[in-house]
Structures are given as structure tokens and as C-alpha cells.
Amino acid sequence: DTAVSQTPKYLVTQMGNDKSIKCEQNLGHDTMYWYKQDSKKFLKIMFSYNNKELIINETVPNRFSPKSPDKAHLNLHINSLELGDSAVYFCASSRGQGDTEAFFGQGTRLTVV
Amino acid sequence: QKEVEQNSGPLSVPEGAIASLNCTYSDRGSQSFFWYRQYSGKSPELIMFIYSNGDKEDGRFTAQLNKASQYVSLLIRDSQPSDSATYLCAVVNSGYSTLTFGKGTMLLVSP
């Protein structure tokens, strides 16, 4: 019974394509996040949503568009994929903003060829 | 820019020894501090959190916080080969509502 689940786990696609990653949490949390972990393992926040509202939008190309249809889901759509987008993308959720434990999904390894 | 700094390692310790992992942060107003463990190819999982100056112990793990020095550490006693992983320090910066991660320290525990 996975707490934070994301699909797909692996995604290989060509440059220029558009792709989506889905995330769902069944913890009843109010806040969800997308993180990007690059090849050097640096984990960096991309977006944060609280109760379906965008709270944080870091310096991310506007090719990346998050969408939260309800507070249990936060999907990530990426347009016109580039080689540099290759990374592991983690979805996470927490009870509230900031100072509570964040639970991570298993990650989506995106490879752009 | 508010930063969290960690030595990337690897930190190598023999089985049974104490592993000491260190982290410094730049935002003096930070209030919440977390240690995550990440095995290769897996997602980060929370080990410890600490909010107040001093030590906090949980089993073999002890988190230490010194806000005056802007320093947080994680001690792992009786290190086991299964502790081999990357340990990520994370901080909630003041006026900010999410975690900022350090680049992580790789720990290798040899049998």
C-alpha cells in the first residue's frame, strides 16, 4: 500500500517530445512537491503545492508545468524535452508546508535521447 | 542564495565504528533540520529530524544541532554495512516552506 506513488518508474524518450509523470499520495497530506535529482545526486526543489495551490515555483523552464487536480495528485508535464532534462524526478508529500517530514515517491528516471 | 553544505565523501568506516556526518547551512533563521538516507537507485527516507539545539537520539542514530555555529551533524554508532548509503542533510529556510537539500555524503561501511 504505497504512500506516495509515481508513474512511470522509467521513461525513455526522444528530444522534442512531450511527456507526463503522475503522482498520487494516499496519506491525506496537504502539500506536495516535485524534486529533480541530477546525475551528481543533487536533489533540488522544482515546485510545491499546498491544497492544490502553487506555493513555490523555483527557476524552472516554463516547459515544465505542474498540475494538481486535487490535493492527492500532482502531475508534471514536460514539453519539448531536452537532453538536459535527463534526471530522476521525485514526487513527495508532507502534512503541511516546510517543517514536517516529507515522504518521497520511488522516483521516475527520465532519459532523453 | 541559501545553501546547505556537506562533504560529498565517500566517508569510509569499518563495521562497528562511529560514523560522523556533518552539515552546515547559511540561513541563520532556519528552524527545522532533517537527515535523509538514500540507497543507490532508491528514494530518500527520513532518519531523524531536530528542531532544538543539542542532541537527539534514536537507536543508533544521534542528531546534533548547534544553531549558533549553523551546524548539524548525524552520528551513527555501531555502523553496519547496511548503513552504506548517501546521507542528505535538509533544512527548512526561514520564510520558505520547503526543504533545501545538501548534496549528500556517501558513507561506506566495510565488513
Side-chain angles (χ1 to χ4, degrees), chain B residues 75-107:
Chain B
L75 300 178
I76 306 175
R77 289 180 299 282
D78 189 24
S79 295
Q80 302 296 309
S82 59
D83 295 327
S84 298
T86 297
Y87 289 80
L88 302 167
C89 175
V91 174
V92 178
N93 293 314
S94 59
Y96 206 54
S97 57
T98 191
L99 295 168
T100 298
F101 282 86
K103 292 186 177 182
T105 298
M106 181 183 291
L107 173 66

Short mmCIF file of all heavy atoms in Angstrom, two decimals, chain B residues 75-107:
data_model
loop_
_atom_site.label_atom_id
_atom_site.label_comp_id
_atom_site.label_asym_id
_atom_site.label_seq_id
_atom_site.Cartn_x
_atom_site.Cartn_y
_atom_site.Cartn_z
N LEU B 75 25.39 11.27 13.92
CA LEU B 75 26.30 10.22 14.35
C LEU B 75 25.60 8.88 14.23
O LEU B 75 24.44 8.74 14.64
CB LEU B 75 26.73 10.43 15.82
CG LEU B 75 27.45 11.73 16.15
CD1 LEU B 75 27.75 11.80 17.65
CD2 LEU B 75 28.73 11.85 15.36
N ILE B 76 26.31 7.92 13.67
CA ILE B 76 25.78 6.56 13.57
C ILE B 76 26.71 5.66 14.36
O ILE B 76 27.88 5.47 14.00
CB ILE B 76 25.69 6.08 12.10
CG1 ILE B 76 24.90 7.08 11.25
CG2 ILE B 76 25.04 4.70 12.05
CD1 ILE B 76 24.88 6.73 9.77
N ARG B 77 26.19 5.12 15.46
CA ARG B 77 27.00 4.24 16.29
C ARG B 77 26.91 2.82 15.78
O ARG B 77 25.92 2.43 15.13
CB ARG B 77 26.52 4.28 17.75
CG ARG B 77 26.83 5.58 18.47
CD ARG B 77 26.32 5.52 19.92
NE ARG B 77 24.87 5.33 19.96
CZ ARG B 77 24.00 6.30 19.75
NH1 ARG B 77 24.43 7.51 19.48
NH2 ARG B 77 22.71 6.06 19.80
N ASP B 78 27.95 2.01 16.08
CA ASP B 78 27.95 0.60 15.67
C ASP B 78 27.56 0.47 14.20
O ASP B 78 26.61 -0.24 13.84
CB ASP B 78 26.99 -0.20 16.56
CG ASP B 78 27.09 -1.70 16.34
OD1 ASP B 78 28.15 -2.16 15.88
OD2 ASP B 78 26.09 -2.40 16.61
N SER B 79 28.28 1.17 13.36
CA SER B 79 27.95 1.20 11.92
C SER B 79 27.92 -0.20 11.34
O SER B 79 28.75 -1.06 11.66
CB SER B 79 28.99 2.03 11.17
OG SER B 79 28.94 3.37 11.57
N GLN B 80 26.95 -0.42 10.46
CA GLN B 80 26.76 -1.70 9.79
C GLN B 80 26.91 -1.52 8.29
O GLN B 80 26.64 -0.44 7.76
CB GLN B 80 25.36 -2.24 10.10
CG GLN B 80 25.07 -2.44 11.58
CD GLN B 80 25.98 -3.48 12.19
OE1 GLN B 80 26.12 -4.59 11.66
NE2 GLN B 80 26.62 -3.14 13.31
N PRO B 81 27.32 -2.57 7.58
CA PRO B 81 27.40 -2.46 6.11
C PRO B 81 26.09 -1.99 5.50
O PRO B 81 26.10 -1.28 4.48
CB PRO B 81 27.76 -3.88 5.67
CG PRO B 81 28.53 -4.44 6.83
CD PRO B 81 27.87 -3.85 8.06
N SER B 82 24.97 -2.33 6.12
CA SER B 82 23.66 -1.89 5.60
C SER B 82 23.44 -0.38 5.76
O SER B 82 22.48 0.16 5.21
CB SER B 82 22.54 -2.66 6.30
OG SER B 82 22.58 -2.43 7.70
N ASP B 83 24.31 0.28 6.52
CA ASP B 83 24.22 1.74 6.63
C ASP B 83 24.87 2.44 5.44
O ASP B 83 24.76 3.66 5.30
CB ASP B 83 24.91 2.22 7.92
CG ASP B 83 24.22 1.75 9.19
OD1 ASP B 83 22.98 1.62 9.17
OD2 ASP B 83 24.92 1.50 10.18
N SER B 84 25.55 1.69 4.60
CA SER B 84 26.20 2.27 3.43
C SER B 84 25.14 2.88 2.51
O SER B 84 24.27 2.17 2.00
CB SER B 84 27.01 1.21 2.67
OG SER B 84 28.04 0.69 3.49
N ALA B 85 25.23 4.17 2.33
CA ALA B 85 24.22 4.92 1.57
C ALA B 85 24.70 6.36 1.48
O ALA B 85 25.76 6.71 2.02
CB ALA B 85 22.87 4.87 2.28
N THR B 86 23.92 7.18 0.80
CA THR B 86 24.17 8.63 0.80
C THR B 86 23.25 9.27 1.81
O THR B 86 22.05 8.99 1.84
CB THR B 86 23.94 9.22 -0.60
OG1 THR B 86 24.88 8.66 -1.51
CG2 THR B 86 24.12 10.74 -0.58
N TYR B 87 23.82 10.12 2.66
CA TYR B 87 23.04 10.79 3.70
C TYR B 87 22.87 12.27 3.32
O TYR B 87 23.84 12.98 3.09
CB TYR B 87 23.75 10.64 5.06
CG TYR B 87 23.64 9.21 5.53
CD1 TYR B 87 24.51 8.23 5.03
CD2 TYR B 87 22.66 8.82 6.43
CE1 TYR B 87 24.39 6.90 5.41
CE2 TYR B 87 22.54 7.50 6.84
CZ TYR B 87 23.40 6.55 6.32
OH TYR B 87 23.28 5.23 6.70
N LEU B 88 21.62 12.66 3.24
CA LEU B 88 21.27 14.01 2.80
C LEU B 88 20.81 14.84 3.99
O LEU B 88 19.92 14.44 4.73
CB LEU B 88 20.12 13.94 1.78
CG LEU B 88 20.37 13.10 0.52
CD1 LEU B 88 19.07 12.86 -0.22
CD2 LEU B 88 21.36 13.79 -0.39
N CYS B 89 21.44 15.97 4.14
CA CYS B 89 21.02 16.96 5.14
C CYS B 89 20.02 17.89 4.47
O CYS B 89 20.21 18.30 3.32
CB CYS B 89 22.26 17.73 5.61
SG CYS B 89 21.94 19.09 6.74
N ALA B 90 18.94 18.21 5.17
CA ALA B 90 17.93 19.10 4.61
C ALA B 90 17.50 20.12 5.66
O ALA B 90 17.39 19.80 6.84
CB ALA B 90 16.72 18.30 4.12
N VAL B 91 17.25 21.31 5.19
CA VAL B 91 16.95 22.43 6.09
C VAL B 91 15.72 23.16 5.55
O VAL B 91 15.59 23.34 4.34
CB VAL B 91 18.16 23.39 6.13
CG1 VAL B 91 17.83 24.64 6.92
CG2 VAL B 91 19.37 22.69 6.70
N VAL B 92 14.84 23.57 6.46
CA VAL B 92 13.76 24.46 6.08
C VAL B 92 14.23 25.88 6.38
O VAL B 92 14.42 26.25 7.52
CB VAL B 92 12.46 24.16 6.83
CG1 VAL B 92 11.37 25.15 6.45
CG2 VAL B 92 12.00 22.74 6.53
N ASN B 93 14.41 26.66 5.32
CA ASN B 93 14.90 28.02 5.49
C ASN B 93 13.80 28.95 5.99
O ASN B 93 12.62 28.70 5.76
CB ASN B 93 15.44 28.55 4.17
CG ASN B 93 16.70 27.81 3.74
OD1 ASN B 93 17.59 27.60 4.54
ND2 ASN B 93 16.75 27.41 2.49
N SER B 94 14.19 30.00 6.66
CA SER B 94 13.23 30.97 7.17
C SER B 94 12.48 31.61 6.02
O SER B 94 13.06 31.91 4.97
CB SER B 94 13.96 32.04 7.99
OG SER B 94 14.92 32.70 7.21
N GLY B 95 11.20 31.77 6.18
CA GLY B 95 10.38 32.41 5.16
C GLY B 95 10.17 31.55 3.94
O GLY B 95 9.73 32.02 2.89
N TYR B 96 10.45 30.29 4.08
CA TYR B 96 10.40 29.38 2.94
C TYR B 96 9.68 28.13 3.41
O TYR B 96 9.79 27.75 4.55
CB TYR B 96 11.83 29.06 2.51
CG TYR B 96 12.01 28.68 1.06
CD1 TYR B 96 11.54 29.51 0.04
CD2 TYR B 96 12.67 27.52 0.69
CE1 TYR B 96 11.73 29.18 -1.28
CE2 TYR B 96 12.87 27.19 -0.64
CZ TYR B 96 12.40 28.02 -1.62
OH TYR B 96 12.60 27.70 -2.93
N SER B 97 8.95 27.50 2.55
CA SER B 97 8.08 26.43 3.04
C SER B 97 8.44 25.06 2.51
O SER B 97 7.60 24.19 2.42
CB SER B 97 6.64 26.76 2.70
OG SER B 97 6.52 26.94 1.30
N THR B 98 9.71 24.88 2.15
CA THR B 98 10.09 23.56 1.67
C THR B 98 11.53 23.27 2.06
O THR B 98 12.24 24.12 2.59
CB THR B 98 9.89 23.45 0.15
OG1 THR B 98 10.03 22.09 -0.24
CG2 THR B 98 10.92 24.30 -0.59
N LEU B 99 11.93 22.04 1.80
CA LEU B 99 13.26 21.59 2.20
C LEU B 99 14.31 22.00 1.17
O LEU B 99 14.09 21.86 -0.02
CB LEU B 99 13.28 20.07 2.33
CG LEU B 99 12.41 19.45 3.41
CD1 LEU B 99 12.32 17.94 3.22
CD2 LEU B 99 12.99 19.75 4.78
N THR B 100 15.44 22.47 1.66
CA THR B 100 16.62 22.66 0.82
C THR B 100 17.62 21.59 1.21
O THR B 100 17.99 21.47 2.38
CB THR B 100 17.23 24.06 1.04
OG1 THR B 100 16.28 25.04 0.66
CG2 THR B 100 18.48 24.22 0.19
N PHE B 101 18.05 20.82 0.23
CA PHE B 101 18.93 19.69 0.49
C PHE B 101 20.38 20.05 0.23
O PHE B 101 20.70 20.83 -0.68
CB PHE B 101 18.56 18.51 -0.41
CG PHE B 101 17.35 17.74 0.04
CD1 PHE B 101 16.08 18.15 -0.32
CD2 PHE B 101 17.49 16.62 0.84
CE1 PHE B 101 14.96 17.45 0.10
CE2 PHE B 101 16.38 15.91 1.26
CZ PHE B 101 15.12 16.33 0.89
N GLY B 102 21.28 19.43 1.00
CA GLY B 102 22.68 19.42 0.66
C GLY B 102 22.92 18.38 -0.42
O GLY B 102 22.00 17.64 -0.79
N LYS B 103 24.15 18.31 -0.90
CA LYS B 103 24.45 17.38 -1.99
C LYS B 103 24.67 15.96 -1.50
O LYS B 103 24.82 15.05 -2.31
CB LYS B 103 25.66 17.87 -2.77
CG LYS B 103 25.37 19.15 -3.53
CD LYS B 103 26.51 19.57 -4.43
CE LYS B 103 26.12 20.82 -5.21
NZ LYS B 103 27.18 21.26 -6.14
N GLY B 104 24.69 15.78 -0.19
CA GLY B 104 24.78 14.43 0.37
C GLY B 104 26.20 13.97 0.59
O GLY B 104 27.14 14.40 -0.10
N THR B 105 26.36 13.11 1.60
CA THR B 105 27.65 12.47 1.89
C THR B 105 27.47 10.97 1.73
O THR B 105 26.58 10.37 2.33
CB THR B 105 28.11 12.76 3.33
OG1 THR B 105 28.30 14.16 3.50
CG2 THR B 105 29.41 12.02 3.64
N MET B 106 28.33 10.38 0.91
CA MET B 106 28.29 8.94 0.73
C MET B 106 29.04 8.27 1.87
O MET B 106 30.20 8.61 2.15
CB MET B 106 28.90 8.53 -0.61
CG MET B 106 28.85 7.03 -0.86
SD MET B 106 29.65 6.56 -2.40
CE MET B 106 28.51 7.25 -3.57
N LEU B 107 28.39 7.33 2.53
CA LEU B 107 29.00 6.58 3.62
C LEU B 107 29.22 5.14 3.17
O LEU B 107 28.29 4.51 2.64
CB LEU B 107 28.10 6.59 4.86
CG LEU B 107 28.53 5.70 6.02
CD1 LEU B 107 29.82 6.19 6.62
CD2 LEU B 107 27.43 5.63 7.08
#
